[in-house]
Amino acid sequence: MKKLTAAEILSASDIERIEVDVPEWGGTVTIAVMSGKQRDSYEQQLSSRQGTRDTVDNLRALYLSHCLVDDAGKLLFTQADIAALGEKSGTVLGRLFNEAIRINALGLEGMEDIAKNS
């Protein structure tokens, strides 16, 4: 197999995106695989909640805030939006969350491991 150079690695397009219909919201959203930086940010935020009442509070909204992107790949939501996003339909958030953990290859077990190892 060919050895890759740094330039080849850095120029590779490896962020998968999927479109998901959300009829309840009147359109579609784009869910992206988290970059390494986004995943580290998510893991850090999750681990900082370990042992508090907030350990799983708004877990789906927190996760989706690191995965929902616009057409340019920029995150749609900031930290300040997580509480409001968490007020949306649990059915919709659950469906999007399931798709996001599928394409990010990080199931609930992985999230529990992150929280335990912090």
Side-chain angles (χ1 to χ4, degrees), residues 10-43:
L10 295 176
S11 67
S13 177
D14 61 352
I15 303 293
E16 178 186 359
R17 295 180 188 164
I18 60 170
E19 298 291 319
V20 179
D21 291 330
V22 187
E24 299 90 340
W25 295 347
T28 64
V29 297
T30 302
I31 300 174
V33 169
M34 286 184 250
S35 68
K37 183 177 180 178
Q38 290 164 339
R39 188 158 176 166
D40 288 346
S41 172
Y42 168 74
E43 290 179 2

PDB file of all heavy atoms in Angstrom, residues 10-43:
ATOM      1  N   LEU A  10      -3.476  15.860   4.682  1.00  0.00           N
ATOM      2  CA  LEU A  10      -4.168  17.107   4.989  1.00  0.00           C
ATOM      3  C   LEU A  10      -5.137  17.538   3.892  1.00  0.00           C
ATOM      4  O   LEU A  10      -6.118  18.238   4.167  1.00  0.00           O
ATOM      5  CB  LEU A  10      -3.158  18.219   5.283  1.00  0.00           C
ATOM      6  CG  LEU A  10      -2.310  17.993   6.541  1.00  0.00           C
ATOM      7  CD1 LEU A  10      -1.278  19.090   6.692  1.00  0.00           C
ATOM      8  CD2 LEU A  10      -3.188  17.892   7.784  1.00  0.00           C
ATOM      9  N   SER A  11      -4.900  17.117   2.656  1.00  0.00           N
ATOM     10  CA  SER A  11      -5.790  17.514   1.561  1.00  0.00           C
ATOM     11  C   SER A  11      -6.905  16.499   1.303  1.00  0.00           C
ATOM     12  O   SER A  11      -7.812  16.767   0.519  1.00  0.00           O
ATOM     13  CB  SER A  11      -4.986  17.732   0.277  1.00  0.00           C
ATOM     14  OG  SER A  11      -4.447  16.496  -0.180  1.00  0.00           O
ATOM     15  N   ALA A  12      -6.856  15.357   1.982  1.00  0.00           N
ATOM     16  CA  ALA A  12      -7.888  14.333   1.791  1.00  0.00           C
ATOM     17  C   ALA A  12      -9.227  14.807   2.353  1.00  0.00           C
ATOM     18  O   ALA A  12      -9.295  15.374   3.442  1.00  0.00           O
ATOM     19  CB  ALA A  12      -7.468  13.032   2.473  1.00  0.00           C
ATOM     20  N   SER A  13     -10.272  14.579   1.595  1.00  0.00           N
ATOM     21  CA  SER A  13     -11.626  14.928   2.036  1.00  0.00           C
ATOM     22  C   SER A  13     -12.198  13.710   2.764  1.00  0.00           C
ATOM     23  O   SER A  13     -12.601  12.740   2.134  1.00  0.00           O
ATOM     24  CB  SER A  13     -12.486  15.294   0.823  1.00  0.00           C
ATOM     25  OG  SER A  13     -13.797  15.566   1.234  1.00  0.00           O
ATOM     26  N   ASP A  14     -12.208  13.774   4.100  1.00  0.00           N
ATOM     27  CA  ASP A  14     -12.621  12.600   4.871  1.00  0.00           C
ATOM     28  C   ASP A  14     -13.777  12.872   5.833  1.00  0.00           C
ATOM     29  O   ASP A  14     -14.087  12.051   6.687  1.00  0.00           O
ATOM     30  CB  ASP A  14     -11.431  12.022   5.638  1.00  0.00           C
ATOM     31  CG  ASP A  14     -10.830  12.989   6.641  1.00  0.00           C
ATOM     32  OD1 ASP A  14     -11.218  14.168   6.663  1.00  0.00           O
ATOM     33  OD2 ASP A  14      -9.949  12.569   7.406  1.00  0.00           O
ATOM     34  N   ILE A  15     -14.420  14.024   5.695  1.00  0.00           N
ATOM     35  CA  ILE A  15     -15.543  14.366   6.562  1.00  0.00           C
ATOM     36  C   ILE A  15     -16.841  13.998   5.826  1.00  0.00           C
ATOM     37  O   ILE A  15     -17.309  14.729   4.950  1.00  0.00           O
ATOM     38  CB  ILE A  15     -15.547  15.862   6.949  1.00  0.00           C
ATOM     39  CG1 ILE A  15     -14.238  16.257   7.632  1.00  0.00           C
ATOM     40  CG2 ILE A  15     -16.756  16.181   7.827  1.00  0.00           C
ATOM     41  CD1 ILE A  15     -13.995  15.627   8.984  1.00  0.00           C
ATOM     42  N   GLU A  16     -17.389  12.853   6.187  1.00  0.00           N
ATOM     43  CA  GLU A  16     -18.638  12.392   5.576  1.00  0.00           C
ATOM     44  C   GLU A  16     -19.792  13.269   6.054  1.00  0.00           C
ATOM     45  O   GLU A  16     -19.832  13.704   7.210  1.00  0.00           O
ATOM     46  CB  GLU A  16     -18.907  10.936   5.968  1.00  0.00           C
ATOM     47  CG  GLU A  16     -20.204  10.387   5.418  1.00  0.00           C
ATOM     48  CD  GLU A  16     -20.535   8.988   5.918  1.00  0.00           C
ATOM     49  OE1 GLU A  16     -19.744   8.411   6.685  1.00  0.00           O
ATOM     50  OE2 GLU A  16     -21.610   8.497   5.544  1.00  0.00           O
ATOM     51  N   ARG A  17     -20.726  13.518   5.158  1.00  0.00           N
ATOM     52  CA  ARG A  17     -21.938  14.278   5.496  1.00  0.00           C
ATOM     53  C   ARG A  17     -23.140  13.530   4.943  1.00  0.00           C
ATOM     54  O   ARG A  17     -23.071  12.956   3.860  1.00  0.00           O
ATOM     55  CB  ARG A  17     -21.908  15.677   4.881  1.00  0.00           C
ATOM     56  CG  ARG A  17     -20.830  16.561   5.422  1.00  0.00           C
ATOM     57  CD  ARG A  17     -20.900  17.913   4.756  1.00  0.00           C
ATOM     58  NE  ARG A  17     -19.740  18.713   5.150  1.00  0.00           N
ATOM     59  CZ  ARG A  17     -19.347  19.788   4.526  1.00  0.00           C
ATOM     60  NH1 ARG A  17     -20.009  20.231   3.475  1.00  0.00           N
ATOM     61  NH2 ARG A  17     -18.295  20.458   4.946  1.00  0.00           N
ATOM     62  N   ILE A  18     -24.221  13.569   5.708  1.00  0.00           N
ATOM     63  CA  ILE A  18     -25.468  12.991   5.219  1.00  0.00           C
ATOM     64  C   ILE A  18     -26.592  13.999   5.414  1.00  0.00           C
ATOM     65  O   ILE A  18     -26.555  14.814   6.332  1.00  0.00           O
ATOM     66  CB  ILE A  18     -25.819  11.660   5.930  1.00  0.00           C
ATOM     67  CG1 ILE A  18     -25.976  11.858   7.442  1.00  0.00           C
ATOM     68  CG2 ILE A  18     -24.797  10.577   5.614  1.00  0.00           C
ATOM     69  CD1 ILE A  18     -26.558  10.654   8.177  1.00  0.00           C
ATOM     70  N   GLU A  19     -27.548  13.945   4.520  1.00  0.00           N
ATOM     71  CA  GLU A  19     -28.746  14.775   4.621  1.00  0.00           C
ATOM     72  C   GLU A  19     -29.837  13.924   5.268  1.00  0.00           C
ATOM     73  O   GLU A  19     -30.027  12.767   4.901  1.00  0.00           O
ATOM     74  CB  GLU A  19     -29.211  15.222   3.234  1.00  0.00           C
ATOM     75  CG  GLU A  19     -28.221  16.077   2.490  1.00  0.00           C
ATOM     76  CD  GLU A  19     -28.039  17.449   3.109  1.00  0.00           C
ATOM     77  OE1 GLU A  19     -29.040  18.050   3.528  1.00  0.00           O
ATOM     78  OE2 GLU A  19     -26.881  17.903   3.176  1.00  0.00           O
ATOM     79  N   VAL A  20     -30.538  14.520   6.219  1.00  0.00           N
ATOM     80  CA  VAL A  20     -31.621  13.830   6.897  1.00  0.00           C
ATOM     81  C   VAL A  20     -32.874  14.687   6.817  1.00  0.00           C
ATOM     82  O   VAL A  20     -32.838  15.875   7.166  1.00  0.00           O
ATOM     83  CB  VAL A  20     -31.269  13.544   8.381  1.00  0.00           C
ATOM     84  CG1 VAL A  20     -32.413  12.842   9.088  1.00  0.00           C
ATOM     85  CG2 VAL A  20     -29.985  12.717   8.483  1.00  0.00           C
ATOM     86  N   ASP A  21     -33.955  14.082   6.333  1.00  0.00           N
ATOM     87  CA  ASP A  21     -35.232  14.786   6.270  1.00  0.00           C
ATOM     88  C   ASP A  21     -35.784  14.975   7.672  1.00  0.00           C
ATOM     89  O   ASP A  21     -35.767  14.048   8.487  1.00  0.00           O
ATOM     90  CB  ASP A  21     -36.250  13.993   5.449  1.00  0.00           C
ATOM     91  CG  ASP A  21     -35.910  13.957   3.969  1.00  0.00           C
ATOM     92  OD1 ASP A  21     -35.297  14.921   3.476  1.00  0.00           O
ATOM     93  OD2 ASP A  21     -36.273  12.962   3.311  1.00  0.00           O
ATOM     94  N   VAL A  22     -36.256  16.191   7.930  1.00  0.00           N
ATOM     95  CA  VAL A  22     -36.909  16.498   9.199  1.00  0.00           C
ATOM     96  C   VAL A  22     -38.227  17.192   8.863  1.00  0.00           C
ATOM     97  O   VAL A  22     -38.329  18.422   8.895  1.00  0.00           O
ATOM     98  CB  VAL A  22     -36.030  17.397  10.102  1.00  0.00           C
ATOM     99  CG1 VAL A  22     -36.678  17.555  11.472  1.00  0.00           C
ATOM    100  CG2 VAL A  22     -34.616  16.844  10.243  1.00  0.00           C
ATOM    101  N   PRO A  23     -39.248  16.384   8.503  1.00  0.00           N
ATOM    102  CA  PRO A  23     -40.521  16.984   8.109  1.00  0.00           C
ATOM    103  C   PRO A  23     -41.144  17.833   9.217  1.00  0.00           C
ATOM    104  O   PRO A  23     -41.820  18.827   8.929  1.00  0.00           O
ATOM    105  CB  PRO A  23     -41.403  15.781   7.754  1.00  0.00           C
ATOM    106  CG  PRO A  23     -40.695  14.575   8.239  1.00  0.00           C
ATOM    107  CD  PRO A  23     -39.256  14.939   8.433  1.00  0.00           C
ATOM    108  N   GLU A  24     -40.881  17.478  10.459  1.00  0.00           N
ATOM    109  CA  GLU A  24     -41.412  18.249  11.579  1.00  0.00           C
ATOM    110  C   GLU A  24     -40.888  19.683  11.583  1.00  0.00           C
ATOM    111  O   GLU A  24     -41.521  20.584  12.130  1.00  0.00           O
ATOM    112  CB  GLU A  24     -41.043  17.586  12.918  1.00  0.00           C
ATOM    113  CG  GLU A  24     -41.582  16.191  13.099  1.00  0.00           C
ATOM    114  CD  GLU A  24     -40.638  15.094  12.581  1.00  0.00           C
ATOM    115  OE1 GLU A  24     -39.747  15.379  11.754  1.00  0.00           O
ATOM    116  OE2 GLU A  24     -40.799  13.937  13.015  1.00  0.00           O
ATOM    117  N   TRP A  25     -39.709  19.897  11.015  1.00  0.00           N
ATOM    118  CA  TRP A  25     -39.101  21.220  10.953  1.00  0.00           C
ATOM    119  C   TRP A  25     -39.239  21.847   9.569  1.00  0.00           C
ATOM    120  O   TRP A  25     -38.768  22.962   9.340  1.00  0.00           O
ATOM    121  CB  TRP A  25     -37.633  21.168  11.364  1.00  0.00           C
ATOM    122  CG  TRP A  25     -37.392  20.776  12.800  1.00  0.00           C
ATOM    123  CD1 TRP A  25     -38.324  20.711  13.802  1.00  0.00           C
ATOM    124  CD2 TRP A  25     -36.153  20.401  13.378  1.00  0.00           C
ATOM    125  NE1 TRP A  25     -37.732  20.315  14.973  1.00  0.00           N
ATOM    126  CE2 TRP A  25     -36.387  20.112  14.745  1.00  0.00           C
ATOM    127  CE3 TRP A  25     -34.854  20.267  12.893  1.00  0.00           C
ATOM    128  CZ2 TRP A  25     -35.387  19.709  15.624  1.00  0.00           C
ATOM    129  CZ3 TRP A  25     -33.853  19.859  13.760  1.00  0.00           C
ATOM    130  CH2 TRP A  25     -34.111  19.596  15.113  1.00  0.00           C
ATOM    131  N   GLY A  26     -39.810  21.097   8.639  1.00  0.00           N
ATOM    132  CA  GLY A  26     -40.057  21.633   7.312  1.00  0.00           C
ATOM    133  C   GLY A  26     -38.876  21.608   6.366  1.00  0.00           C
ATOM    134  O   GLY A  26     -38.793  22.440   5.457  1.00  0.00           O
ATOM    135  N   GLY A  27     -37.954  20.673   6.536  1.00  0.00           N
ATOM    136  CA  GLY A  27     -36.809  20.608   5.625  1.00  0.00           C
ATOM    137  C   GLY A  27     -35.849  19.492   5.970  1.00  0.00           C
ATOM    138  O   GLY A  27     -36.238  18.475   6.538  1.00  0.00           O
ATOM    139  N   THR A  28     -34.592  19.708   5.617  1.00  0.00           N
ATOM    140  CA  THR A  28     -33.548  18.726   5.876  1.00  0.00           C
ATOM    141  C   THR A  28     -32.431  19.376   6.692  1.00  0.00           C
ATOM    142  O   THR A  28     -32.318  20.601   6.735  1.00  0.00           O
ATOM    143  CB  THR A  28     -32.924  18.176   4.574  1.00  0.00           C
ATOM    144  OG1 THR A  28     -32.280  19.240   3.882  1.00  0.00           O
ATOM    145  CG2 THR A  28     -33.966  17.533   3.684  1.00  0.00           C
ATOM    146  N   VAL A  29     -31.646  18.534   7.324  1.00  0.00           N
ATOM    147  CA  VAL A  29     -30.437  18.990   8.013  1.00  0.00           C
ATOM    148  C   VAL A  29     -29.269  18.156   7.517  1.00  0.00           C
ATOM    149  O   VAL A  29     -29.447  17.061   6.994  1.00  0.00           O
ATOM    150  CB  VAL A  29     -30.542  18.881   9.559  1.00  0.00           C
ATOM    151  CG1 VAL A  29     -31.644  19.782  10.098  1.00  0.00           C
ATOM    152  CG2 VAL A  29     -30.744  17.446   9.996  1.00  0.00           C
ATOM    153  N   THR A  30     -28.088  18.706   7.684  1.00  0.00           N
ATOM    154  CA  THR A  30     -26.873  17.985   7.331  1.00  0.00           C
ATOM    155  C   THR A  30     -26.161  17.584   8.612  1.00  0.00           C
ATOM    156  O   THR A  30     -25.888  18.423   9.477  1.00  0.00           O
ATOM    157  CB  THR A  30     -25.932  18.860   6.478  1.00  0.00           C
ATOM    158  OG1 THR A  30     -26.625  19.275   5.300  1.00  0.00           O
ATOM    159  CG2 THR A  30     -24.676  18.099   6.090  1.00  0.00           C
ATOM    160  N   ILE A  31     -25.887  16.295   8.713  1.00  0.00           N
ATOM    161  CA  ILE A  31     -25.115  15.757   9.839  1.00  0.00           C
ATOM    162  C   ILE A  31     -23.753  15.377   9.290  1.00  0.00           C
ATOM    163  O   ILE A  31     -23.655  14.688   8.269  1.00  0.00           O
ATOM    164  CB  ILE A  31     -25.795  14.522  10.462  1.00  0.00           C
ATOM    165  CG1 ILE A  31     -27.181  14.882  10.989  1.00  0.00           C
ATOM    166  CG2 ILE A  31     -24.917  13.932  11.569  1.00  0.00           C
ATOM    167  CD1 ILE A  31     -27.979  13.691  11.492  1.00  0.00           C
ATOM    168  N   ALA A  32     -22.708  15.836   9.963  1.00  0.00           N
ATOM    169  CA  ALA A  32     -21.341  15.565   9.516  1.00  0.00           C
ATOM    170  C   ALA A  32     -20.588  14.741  10.542  1.00  0.00           C
ATOM    171  O   ALA A  32     -20.878  14.801  11.743  1.00  0.00           O
ATOM    172  CB  ALA A  32     -20.595  16.872   9.275  1.00  0.00           C
ATOM    173  N   VAL A  33     -19.633  13.993  10.055  1.00  0.00           N
ATOM    174  CA  VAL A  33     -18.677  13.347  10.945  1.00  0.00           C
ATOM    175  C   VAL A  33     -17.891  14.462  11.625  1.00  0.00           C
ATOM    176  O   VAL A  33     -17.494  15.434  10.981  1.00  0.00           O
ATOM    177  CB  VAL A  33     -17.728  12.424  10.149  1.00  0.00           C
ATOM    178  CG1 VAL A  33     -16.569  11.954  10.996  1.00  0.00           C
ATOM    179  CG2 VAL A  33     -18.501  11.238   9.582  1.00  0.00           C
ATOM    180  N   MET A  34     -17.709  14.334  12.925  1.00  0.00           N
ATOM    181  CA  MET A  34     -16.947  15.349  13.660  1.00  0.00           C
ATOM    182  C   MET A  34     -15.485  15.328  13.234  1.00  0.00           C
ATOM    183  O   MET A  34     -14.915  14.254  13.008  1.00  0.00           O
ATOM    184  CB  MET A  34     -16.998  15.071  15.166  1.00  0.00           C
ATOM    185  CG  MET A  34     -18.294  15.375  15.833  1.00  0.00           C
ATOM    186  SD  MET A  34     -18.163  15.111  17.619  1.00  0.00           S
ATOM    187  CE  MET A  34     -19.177  13.658  17.799  1.00  0.00           C
ATOM    188  N   SER A  35     -14.903  16.501  13.160  1.00  0.00           N
ATOM    189  CA  SER A  35     -13.456  16.561  12.968  1.00  0.00           C
ATOM    190  C   SER A  35     -12.803  16.096  14.270  1.00  0.00           C
ATOM    191  O   SER A  35     -13.481  15.976  15.307  1.00  0.00           O
ATOM    192  CB  SER A  35     -13.021  18.003  12.658  1.00  0.00           C
ATOM    193  OG  SER A  35     -13.206  18.821  13.806  1.00  0.00           O
ATOM    194  N   GLY A  36     -11.533  15.864  14.250  1.00  0.00           N
ATOM    195  CA  GLY A  36     -10.820  15.499  15.483  1.00  0.00           C
ATOM    196  C   GLY A  36     -10.982  16.568  16.545  1.00  0.00           C
ATOM    197  O   GLY A  36     -11.208  16.274  17.726  1.00  0.00           O
ATOM    198  N   LYS A  37     -10.915  17.825  16.141  1.00  0.00           N
ATOM    199  CA  LYS A  37     -11.052  18.941  17.074  1.00  0.00           C
ATOM    200  C   LYS A  37     -12.456  18.974  17.679  1.00  0.00           C
ATOM    201  O   LYS A  37     -12.614  19.185  18.883  1.00  0.00           O
ATOM    202  CB  LYS A  37     -10.748  20.252  16.343  1.00  0.00           C
ATOM    203  CG  LYS A  37     -10.789  21.476  17.211  1.00  0.00           C
ATOM    204  CD  LYS A  37     -10.413  22.711  16.408  1.00  0.00           C
ATOM    205  CE  LYS A  37     -10.457  23.956  17.262  1.00  0.00           C
ATOM    206  NZ  LYS A  37     -10.045  25.148  16.508  1.00  0.00           N
ATOM    207  N   GLN A  38     -13.480  18.779  16.842  1.00  0.00           N
ATOM    208  CA  GLN A  38     -14.851  18.773  17.343  1.00  0.00           C
ATOM    209  C   GLN A  38     -15.102  17.600  18.293  1.00  0.00           C
ATOM    210  O   GLN A  38     -15.765  17.751  19.314  1.00  0.00           O
ATOM    211  CB  GLN A  38     -15.844  18.730  16.176  1.00  0.00           C
ATOM    212  CG  GLN A  38     -15.889  20.007  15.385  1.00  0.00           C
ATOM    213  CD  GLN A  38     -16.555  19.828  14.039  1.00  0.00           C
ATOM    214  OE1 GLN A  38     -16.656  18.729  13.506  1.00  0.00           O
ATOM    215  NE2 GLN A  38     -16.991  20.941  13.459  1.00  0.00           N
ATOM    216  N   ARG A  39     -14.548  16.449  17.946  1.00  0.00           N
ATOM    217  CA  ARG A  39     -14.738  15.283  18.815  1.00  0.00           C
ATOM    218  C   ARG A  39     -14.039  15.488  20.154  1.00  0.00           C
ATOM    219  O   ARG A  39     -14.586  15.150  21.204  1.00  0.00           O
ATOM    220  CB  ARG A  39     -14.226  14.013  18.139  1.00  0.00           C
ATOM    221  CG  ARG A  39     -14.571  12.766  18.917  1.00  0.00           C
ATOM    222  CD  ARG A  39     -14.558  11.572  18.045  1.00  0.00           C
ATOM    223  NE  ARG A  39     -14.790  10.370  18.815  1.00  0.00           N
ATOM    224  CZ  ARG A  39     -15.095   9.216  18.282  1.00  0.00           C
ATOM    225  NH1 ARG A  39     -15.212   9.100  16.981  1.00  0.00           N
ATOM    226  NH2 ARG A  39     -15.290   8.171  19.031  1.00  0.00           N
ATOM    227  N   ASP A  40     -12.849  16.058  20.134  1.00  0.00           N
ATOM    228  CA  ASP A  40     -12.153  16.361  21.391  1.00  0.00           C
ATOM    229  C   ASP A  40     -12.962  17.342  22.228  1.00  0.00           C
ATOM    230  O   ASP A  40     -13.071  17.191  23.447  1.00  0.00           O
ATOM    231  CB  ASP A  40     -10.760  16.940  21.118  1.00  0.00           C
ATOM    232  CG  ASP A  40      -9.779  15.900  20.602  1.00  0.00           C
ATOM    233  OD1 ASP A  40     -10.069  14.690  20.685  1.00  0.00           O
ATOM    234  OD2 ASP A  40      -8.713  16.312  20.104  1.00  0.00           O
ATOM    235  N   SER A  41     -13.546  18.353  21.576  1.00  0.00           N
ATOM    236  CA  SER A  41     -14.363  19.327  22.285  1.00  0.00           C
ATOM    237  C   SER A  41     -15.572  18.652  22.922  1.00  0.00           C
ATOM    238  O   SER A  41     -15.897  18.890  24.093  1.00  0.00           O
ATOM    239  CB  SER A  41     -14.821  20.430  21.331  1.00  0.00           C
ATOM    240  OG  SER A  41     -15.754  21.281  21.956  1.00  0.00           O
ATOM    241  N   TYR A  42     -16.240  17.789  22.161  1.00  0.00           N
ATOM    242  CA  TYR A  42     -17.397  17.066  22.687  1.00  0.00           C
ATOM    243  C   TYR A  42     -16.987  16.204  23.884  1.00  0.00           C
ATOM    244  O   TYR A  42     -17.625  16.224  24.936  1.00  0.00           O
ATOM    245  CB  TYR A  42     -18.041  16.190  21.609  1.00  0.00           C
ATOM    246  CG  TYR A  42     -19.038  15.239  22.195  1.00  0.00           C
ATOM    247  CD1 TYR A  42     -20.279  15.692  22.627  1.00  0.00           C
ATOM    248  CD2 TYR A  42     -18.727  13.899  22.382  1.00  0.00           C
ATOM    249  CE1 TYR A  42     -21.183  14.835  23.214  1.00  0.00           C
ATOM    250  CE2 TYR A  42     -19.628  13.041  22.965  1.00  0.00           C
ATOM    251  CZ  TYR A  42     -20.856  13.515  23.380  1.00  0.00           C
ATOM    252  OH  TYR A  42     -21.740  12.658  23.973  1.00  0.00           O
ATOM    253  N   GLU A  43     -15.916  15.433  23.723  1.00  0.00           N
ATOM    254  CA  GLU A  43     -15.461  14.552  24.804  1.00  0.00           C
ATOM    255  C   GLU A  43     -15.078  15.349  26.043  1.00  0.00           C
ATOM    256  O   GLU A  43     -15.372  14.942  27.169  1.00  0.00           O
ATOM    257  CB  GLU A  43     -14.300  13.684  24.323  1.00  0.00           C
ATOM    258  CG  GLU A  43     -14.741  12.647  23.310  1.00  0.00           C
ATOM    259  CD  GLU A  43     -13.614  11.785  22.780  1.00  0.00           C
ATOM    260  OE1 GLU A  43     -12.447  11.951  23.221  1.00  0.00           O
ATOM    261  OE2 GLU A  43     -13.884  10.939  21.918  1.00  0.00           O
TER     262      GLU A  43
END
